[in-house]
Amino acid sequence: MPRVTITPPGKNSQPYRFSLDRQAVALGRGSENDVVIDCTSVSVNHAVMERMPGGFQIRDLGSTNGTKLSGVPRETIPLLDGRKVYLGDVEFHFTLTEEEQEALAEEDNAPPAVIREESFEEMPKKHQLVSDQDREALRKDMGAFNKPMPTALFLLLALVALYLGLSIRYAGDHPGRSFLHDLTKGTPPAATTAPADEEGREAADAAAPAPEETSE
């Protein structure tokens, strides 16, 4: 018979047992419930423990303080052997015998959601396909993979900034030319000032007066 132990804050635990084929067990502060919980943090109709194919679950009925697993309120929580949940501030402890666990495991049409709703950390060891040691090694590998990323990103941004600076400076010194094109093709910058300087010197020589001849 599944065993439920209710422990209000500062009070003694209250054990309850139910048959394995019990379909629903109502829990709350109201006297009409199957399990009456005398605690102000528990709503009049707080939650219901329900029989599911392959196991049990507890479902919150819109209570004020919620039904929580690991401190997190949830609407439904699968009840595995040894699971502790809280109805408000009241501890709800669910246990099954080994025979009951085997009987539930053999039931047909057990929904996979019973396992899918559990986080990896909350699963019993027998359901975990990856050992704690392997999981820790995987985390270290992922950390080593992600660590160089900030440095690589910084270097990439630095190279982009350097290229933009050189391009702007090159465009100012050599109008109409492409820094990237000249860099990849190896084309030297056009000499734009030499012809102009040579023509200027010729014009200056032509305009200058001829030197006067002097007699001895």
Side-chain angles (χ1 to χ4, degrees):
M1 299 175 68
R3 178 185 176 94
V4 172
T5 304
I6 303 294
T7 308
K11 297 182 180 180
N12 295 329
S13 299
Q14 304 170 17
Y16 300 88
R17 285 193 174 276
F18 305 94
S19 63
L20 197 61
D21 58 354
R22 180 71 177 267
Q23 296 301 304
V25 177
L27 305 103
R29 199 171 72 249
S31 59
E32 70 276 9
N33 290 282
D34 300 308
V35 177
V36 178
I37 305 174
D38 185 16
C39 182
T40 55
S41 67
V42 176
S43 297
V44 175
N45 298 302
H46 195 104
V48 58
M49 187 178 74
E50 299 174 321
R51 181 72 158 88
M52 305 292 291
F56 291 84
Q57 72 174 12
I58 188 168
R59 178 167 55 88
D60 189 82
L61 298 176
S63 64
T64 301
N65 295 308
T67 301
K68 291 166 281 188
L69 174 64
S70 300
V72 180
R74 297 178 63 174
E75 183 177 349
T76 61
I77 301 172
L79 293 175
L80 305 178
D81 176 51
R83 167 139 292 174
K84 290 183 181 181
V85 302
Y86 280 83
L87 312 179
D89 296 330
V90 176
E91 181 184 286
F92 173 100
H93 187 202
F94 180 83
T95 57
L96 294 166
T97 65
E98 290 185 5
E99 292 78 8
E100 289 167 344
Q101 294 180 60
E102 292 175 359
L104 292 173
E106 292 174 356
E107 287 186 358
D108 294 334
N109 302 320
V114 171
I115 298 300
R116 282 202 306 268
E117 288 188 10
E118 306 308 311
S119 71
F120 189 88
E121 299 294 344
E122 296 167 358
M123 272 191 195
K125 297 297 182 183
K126 62 182 180 180
H127 291 310
Q128 295 185 10
L129 300 180
V130 181
S131 67
D132 292 340
Q133 193 173 20
D134 292 340
R135 187 154 46 96
E136 184 63 25
L138 180 60
R139 286 175 177 171
K140 290 181 179 179
D141 292 341
M142 292 301 294
F145 176 76
N146 292 327
K147 189 174 181 180
M149 291 303 291
T151 303
L153 181 60
F154 174 79
L155 292 176
L156 178 61
L157 293 176
L159 290 174
V160 171
L162 178 62
Y163 170 77
L164 291 176
L166 292 174
S167 297
I168 294 173
R169 183 173 180 179
Y170 190 85
D173 294 339
H174 308 286
R177 301 193 65 86
S178 170
F179 172 71
L180 181 61
H181 180 271
D182 291 350
L183 181 64
T184 55
K185 300 298 183 180
T187 304
T192 58
T193 59
D197 292 343
E198 186 176 351
E199 292 176 1
R201 285 196 299 270
E202 292 177 354
D205 292 342
E212 296 181 0
E213 295 182 359
T214 59
S215 60
E216 295 181 357

